Amino acid sequence: MTTKKNEPRSESVKRVLNELSGKDLVVLTTHKNADGDGCGSQVALASWLRSQGTETFIVNPTPFPQNFKFLLPDESWIAEADSPSARQLCDGADLAVVLDAGENSRIGKIEPLIRGVPTVVIDHHPMGENPIKGLSLRDTTASSTGELIYDLIEGAGGPWSKNSDLGVYVAVVSDTGSFRFGNTTPHSLRIAAELVQRGVNPGRIYRRLFGSYHKTRLQLLQSSLTTLGLDEAHKIAWMVVAERSYEALGATPEDLEGFVDYPRFIAGIEVGILFRKVSRNSVKVSLRSNGLVNVNTVARKFGGGGHNQASGALIKGSIERVQQSVIEAVREAVEFSGILK
Ligand SMILES: [Mn+2]
């Protein structure tokens, strides 16, 4: 059973709620390097499922980020992917829920663990070429997966817990860039208003998410900004993560959160790119567009994916070569968009 094309969100919500009901054990997962949307959605849904008497655990392909652990009432909700308990939980699960991802390639080592387990996808990314099969609540008009979790818990008539409130709020704030990005809608703002009404403290969460950076992050940004590159004629700017500083500072991928936005802060720039050498022969590329250029098509060209305004890919090759071919592909996408005319 899959979601019917163009089914209204409320219908998909009902079908997914039906599938979630009465389960003994459910595992939740999200994409590699979970972000605020993935983590927030997981905690919110886990909290609600647990209130329904369903044992629920979070099993992610990469460790649950330290800076989102404040969302959890209890770290025992998490099972690390490589642990025996993760395997045991997945083996015994009645249902797996994939959040904020819709393709097997995004969930890495969790895919073999949940193979054979009935799976539900809740996601707001455009459908990729190899979508995970099963029932789904997919809606690209949703600002975030957290917004879909809000609709799900509302659709069930609650109950709302402190952790569900917090989780959904952090999810929506993360994916809308604190309500600054183009995906901010009346619905996402109403959700936030409702959660603030119920006691979520926006100032405190802002400081937790954005106002308490480790010094490593700014030192790494300092050295990375020296690599800033520009093609003003094509409205493109890019930055390369300073590899030596990354190593020397003992930085983690979490320290890079938001780096991709800096090149795009330049007036007149439409597309920002971040390059990071992740191993001897592979480069992680993140692409962000102000909205006029579709960067998902660029990411797809290199085997990656994402949204039209935010996407990425892991590309084999030297940093110089990858940089050259990606910038060239972005130039083509900019030309194709018609904004240079
Ligand atoms: Mn998301």
Side-chain angles (χ1 to χ4, degrees), residues 37 100 124 175:
D37 189 23
D100 202 37
H124 68 129
D175 268 24

Side-chain angles (χ1 to χ4, degrees), residues 16-26 48-49 52-55 94-95:
V16 167
L17 276 175
N18 203 37
E19 189 66 19
L20 291 175
S21 79
K23 298 288 184 287
D24 291 324
L25 176 61
V26 173
W48 180 77
L49 280 167
Q52 304 300 294
T54 300
E55 274 207 86
D94 303 306
L95 187 73

